[in-house]
Amino acid sequence: MTENIDEAGIRVLTEEELISAVVEKHRRFLEENKKEFVELDSRLNQVEENIKNAKNFRTRMEERKEVLKEKRQQFYHQTEALLEKEIFPKMDPTTVSKLREELKKLKGQIDPEEEQKLKDLFMQNLRETILAAGLGETVLLQANARMEEARKSNIELKEIKDSEKQLVEDDSSKSEEISKSKSQHKWLSTRIKNHEEALSYWEKLKV
């Protein structure tokens, strides 16, 4: 058998050479796995950090939403108080009732676009009523300014709600990424351990 191998020009490796080849193989795999592990570990840490930041951001946005809701209602309350004091007592009950009803709709939870339409209608009716009654326009300007601030609060509120929807989608994507990464992370950790043990075993034989 040996003669046939020699005739074919094939050299049989010695035991030491075979062990060296096995050691080199495990070293190569160990190096590759460790490199992949470090890269994956870094990505995993970054994703987890992003999730943590998103959670903190969401908490701040919840607080901001409450502030904006309160701020919006305060501006409408100021508008209502202004009209109750300066305008409504000088108008007939039917007109006052109509304006109060329109103001009530404005104070509800509506989109900024709808709020703009209702505000324009309210201000138009209020302007016509004030001019017809011969009252000054100062109160009209003050009411409009307060209602505009209320609408701006609602715009910001909507922007926050829209951003929260995107956060929910991002969270779902990140959770899936973490799940896959952790599985790969665990697999690589096991591979590294196996190669380290194998390398230790074969290096002892090499000596």
Side-chain angles (χ1 to χ4, degrees):
M1 180 68 177
T2 303
E3 292 178 357
N4 292 337
I5 292 175
D6 290 338
E7 290 175 1
I10 300 174
R11 188 175 72 82
V12 178
L13 296 176
T14 64
E15 181 178 345
E16 183 178 349
E17 289 174 326
L18 284 171
I19 292 175
S20 294
V22 172
V23 167
E24 182 58 32
K25 180 194 72 172
H26 284 294
R27 278 179 178 166
R28 186 175 71 256
F29 285 148
L30 185 59
E31 182 180 344
E32 292 173 355
N33 289 157
K34 280 186 174 181
K35 181 181 179 182
E36 187 177 352
F37 182 87
V38 169
E39 292 174 352
L40 181 62
D41 196 55
S42 177
R43 288 201 307 272
L44 190 57
N45 288 336
Q46 185 60 56
V47 172
E48 290 177 337
E49 181 66 21
N50 290 342
I51 289 178
K52 180 182 177 182
N53 291 337
K55 184 178 179 180
N56 292 336
F57 176 77
R58 189 180 289 106
T59 299
R60 293 196 302 273
M61 289 303 97
E62 282 297 325
E63 294 172 353
R64 180 60 179 165
K65 278 163 57 178
E66 292 305 313
V67 170
L68 289 169
K69 289 176 184 177
E70 181 64 26
K71 184 179 178 182
R72 180 171 178 266
Q73 290 303 315
Q74 282 293 329
F75 278 121
Y76 277 122
H77 177 72
Q78 291 173 13
T79 302
E80 198 169 19
L82 178 67
L83 296 177
E84 290 286 355
K85 179 182 178 182
E86 302 291 341
I87 301 298
F88 289 170
K90 302 171 185 178
M91 293 181 176
D92 65 273
T94 302
T95 301
V96 171
S97 178
K98 179 182 177 183
L99 290 172
R100 281 175 177 161
E101 188 62 30
E102 290 179 0
L103 193 56
K104 183 179 179 181
K105 291 179 181 178
L106 272 165
K107 291 165 64 177
Q109 295 183 3
I110 54 178
D111 287 336
E113 295 80 7
E114 180 66 17
E115 187 173 15
Q116 180 68 64
K117 293 177 182 177
L118 292 176
K119 173 179 171 290
D120 290 343
L121 178 61
F122 178 83
M123 290 306 301
Q124 180 182 340
N125 292 336
L126 183 63
R127 179 178 289 104
E128 291 174 356
T129 303
I130 287 177
L131 293 178
L135 303 174
E137 291 193 45
T138 302
V139 174
L140 189 67
L141 295 174
Q142 292 176 346
N144 184 65
R146 285 171 171 77
M147 291 172 68
E148 182 59 23
E149 288 300 321
R151 194 181 71 85
K152 287 179 181 178
S153 295
N154 202 18
I155 290 174
E156 185 178 347
L157 192 60
K158 184 177 185 299
E159 289 173 349
I160 290 175
K161 290 179 179 178
D162 289 342
S163 68
E164 285 178 331
K165 292 178 183 178
Q166 184 60 47
L167 280 176
V168 170
E169 294 177 5
D170 290 345
D171 283 351
S172 177
S173 175
K174 286 185 176 69
S175 295
E176 184 178 349
E177 183 179 352
I178 283 182
S179 179
K180 291 180 180 179
S181 295
K182 282 187 174 180
S183 296
Q184 180 73 359
H185 195 271
K186 184 178 180 181
W187 180 81
L188 282 171
S189 180
T190 301
R191 290 270 295 177
I192 289 171
K193 182 180 179 181
N194 290 342
H195 283 304
E196 285 176 338
E197 290 175 350
L199 186 60
S200 176
Y201 171 80
W202 286 105
E203 282 183 330
K204 287 177 182 178
L205 292 181
K206 185 178 179 181
V207 175

